[in-house]
Amino acid sequence: MRRMLLAAVAAIALGGTALADTIKVGVIGPFSGPFAIQGKNFKAGIDAWTALNGAKVGNDDVEIVYRDLPAANPAQAKSLAQDLVVKEHVQYLAGFYFTPDAMAVTPLLEQANVPMVIMNAATSAIVTKSPLVVRTSFTLWQTSVPMAKVAAQRGIKKVITAVSDYGPGVDAETAFATTFKADGGEIVESIRMPLSTTDFSPIMQRVKDSGAEAVFAFLPSGPTTLGFLKSYNENGLKQAGIQFLAPGDLTQESDLPALGDTALGVTTTFHYSIAHDSGENKKFVAAARTAIGNPAELSFPSVSAYDGMRVIYKMIEATGGKQDAKKAVDAVKGMAWESPRGPVSIDPESRHITQNIYLREVAKAEDGTYYNKEIQTFPNMTDPGLK
């Protein structure tokens, strides 16, 4: 049954849309449920791109077809992707907030003749699962290694790690621990939390009891990251002098109003801050805030979606609107441009984005709003997780 379905997918994808004047892009993401704000950011980034660049490539119209995947569900992700290719005849797949969902779809790509543009999922290994995967977001290795360097620079010697127990969490833990120990630091304990964890008080007690000078944490952005950072404050870890280290998922802009002054001074390392000071970013943020409706909800997945559309438009241009996944991917290898986040390029070997990573500190603007202020740059970071 599986073989027959994949054969049907391939036959339709190869022959169904080569002469079409409407190019369909299927976007899978969380547009409802607890992570819906991330799906809204996918859409805001895509809408910002079309608002600034139009919805045509040459003579071809570009149509976005959205499919809702509220939480990580690999079987459903695969089913939605098959539906998009077989019934909607999409030529491109994009989005993918969670790693397990992206991983589940990669086996379909070559037979379907469809590239995948990852707009968030951040486990390094995804790009190794198919030569038709391109990523415009980040990886946890890319954002965690700089934080380990910062910890060593601060003279921190003992750290406890606490991460969600799935691909990106394991990558974050490994990236931080490997780098920190190479610089002479010690990991006193490593905690892996089920994705379903909502009560973090027991975790905070373990951190207190560990004797660590700092906690390095990763959870996927959403209700859990807000809950974790609140628990860190409410359980007295900040007052006890235990430093908080994390990639920027933990201080996404949409969470900062709820955290308030308790977040001030928290430092993270990440690929993007809405406050990034550049003309390209100001233009993007204005368009994306209009698209999302509530400016306070704008966060990092929007910029990966925006840049993802740039990559897809280049693919469409390179193939003349015809369905040729290999030619499309080859066309963007080595592609470089000025993103709202700063200078970026697609590594021709890994097909992952090379970009600056920034050390940011939560600060308060004159108008009372909170933002991630960039204070140090780690330039041209490739993905250390692929080495």
Side-chain angles (χ1 to χ4, degrees):
M1 180 67 182
R2 178 177 179 275
R3 190 172 299 169
M4 291 173 62
L5 177 58
L6 291 178
V9 168
I12 290 171
L14 283 166
T17 58
L19 300 177
D21 60 1
T22 298
I23 310 298
K24 290 186 176 182
V25 179
V27 177
I28 296 174
F31 299 102
S32 67
F35 297 95
I37 195 169
Q38 315 301 354
K40 287 184 72 174
N41 272 275
F42 277 170
K43 190 172 187 303
I46 292 167
D47 288 349
W49 175 262
T50 56
L52 294 172
N53 298 278
K56 293 176 75 75
V57 179
N59 293 323
D60 295 321
D61 294 318
V62 179
E63 178 185 344
I64 312 299
V65 183
Y66 292 97
R67 289 292 183 269
D68 182 23
L69 188 63
N73 187 329
Q76 188 181 358
K78 184 176 179 181
S79 177
L80 290 173
Q82 289 169 332
D83 178 76
L84 283 165
V85 173
V86 174
K87 295 182 181 179
E88 294 290 345
H89 301 172
V90 302
Q91 290 191 32
Y92 300 89
L93 288 169
F96 299 98
Y97 188 68
F98 290 105
T99 286
D101 303 324
M103 289 286 203
V105 174
T106 55
L108 306 178
L109 301 178
E110 288 192 72
Q111 294 185 60
N113 193 29
V114 173
M116 172 193 282
V117 177
I118 300 290
M119 294 175 172
N120 188 70
T123 299
S124 293
I126 300 172
V127 294
T128 70
K129 301 303 178 183
S130 169
L132 300 180
V133 176
V134 177
R135 178 160 35 206
T136 59
S137 52
F138 63 101
T139 68
L140 268 301
W141 271 88
Q142 208 172 25
T143 58
S144 298
V145 165
M147 182 50 79
K149 293 291 185 183
V150 169
Q153 290 167 8
R154 291 178 177 173
I156 296 170
K157 299 298 184 184
K158 294 184 177 183
V159 172
I160 182 172
T161 63
V163 303
S164 292
D165 191 8
Y166 78 128
V170 174
D171 271 11
E173 175 192 280
T174 306
F176 182 89
T178 301
T179 307
F180 186 61
K181 288 190 286 187
D183 286 339
E186 178 187 353
I187 303 298
V188 298
E189 188 178 351
S190 297
I191 302 171
R192 293 185 181 178
M193 305 169 285
L195 273 172
S196 58
T197 303
T198 56
D199 180 7
F200 299 105
S201 294
I203 304 295
M204 298 306 157
Q205 190 59 52
R206 288 175 66 179
V207 172
K208 279 184 178 179
D209 294 342
S210 71
E213 300 163 72
V215 55
F216 172 81
F218 168 77
L219 304 88
S221 288
T224 51
T225 49
L226 179 59
F228 189 92
L229 198 44
K230 278 189 168 183
S231 188
Y232 165 82
N233 287 313
E234 291 169 359
N235 283 275
L237 274 71
K238 186 175 183 179
Q239 294 87 331
I242 299 171
Q243 296 188 50
F244 187 88
L245 312 171
D249 310 75
L250 276 288
T251 61
Q252 66 170 344
E253 281 82 0
S254 53
D255 284 347
L256 295 181
L259 292 168
D261 285 355
T262 61
L264 290 175
V266 170
T267 53
T268 57
T269 44
F270 218 36
H271 63 295
Y272 179 62
S273 166
I274 287 171
H276 180 70
D277 188 13
S278 74
E280 187 69 25
N281 189 50
K282 288 180 173 66
K283 181 175 69 172
F284 163 70
V285 169
R289 281 177 169 164
T290 298
I292 204 166
N294 179 0
E297 291 183 332
L298 193 64
S299 190
F300 66 90
S302 60
V303 79
S304 302
Y306 182 83
D307 285 333
M309 289 304 296
R310 181 187 291 271
V311 167
I312 290 169
Y313 271 40
K314 178 65 175 178
M315 289 177 169
I316 295 170
E317 178 188 355
T319 55
K322 294 181 171 58
Q323 186 137 7
D324 187 335
K326 183 180 183 301
K327 185 176 182 180
V329 171
D330 285 346
V332 301
K333 291 178 179 178
M335 180 180 173
W337 68 97
E338 186 68 24
S339 162
R341 69 187 99 174
V344 300
S345 62
I346 301 297
D347 183 270
E349 299 298 323
S350 69
R351 291 157 280 107
H352 173 71
I353 195 164
T354 299
Q355 59 192 330
N356 294 343
I357 300 298
Y358 305 95
L359 175 65
R360 308 102 48 80
E361 180 179 63
V362 177
K364 194 172 188 177
E366 290 182 3
D367 64 1
T369 59
Y370 301 91
Y371 68 103
N372 287 296
K373 179 182 179 181
E374 295 169 356
I375 56 177
Q376 184 180 343
T377 302
F378 296 83
N380 300 317
M381 285 283 296
T382 57
D383 181 13
L386 294 172
K387 294 179 180 178

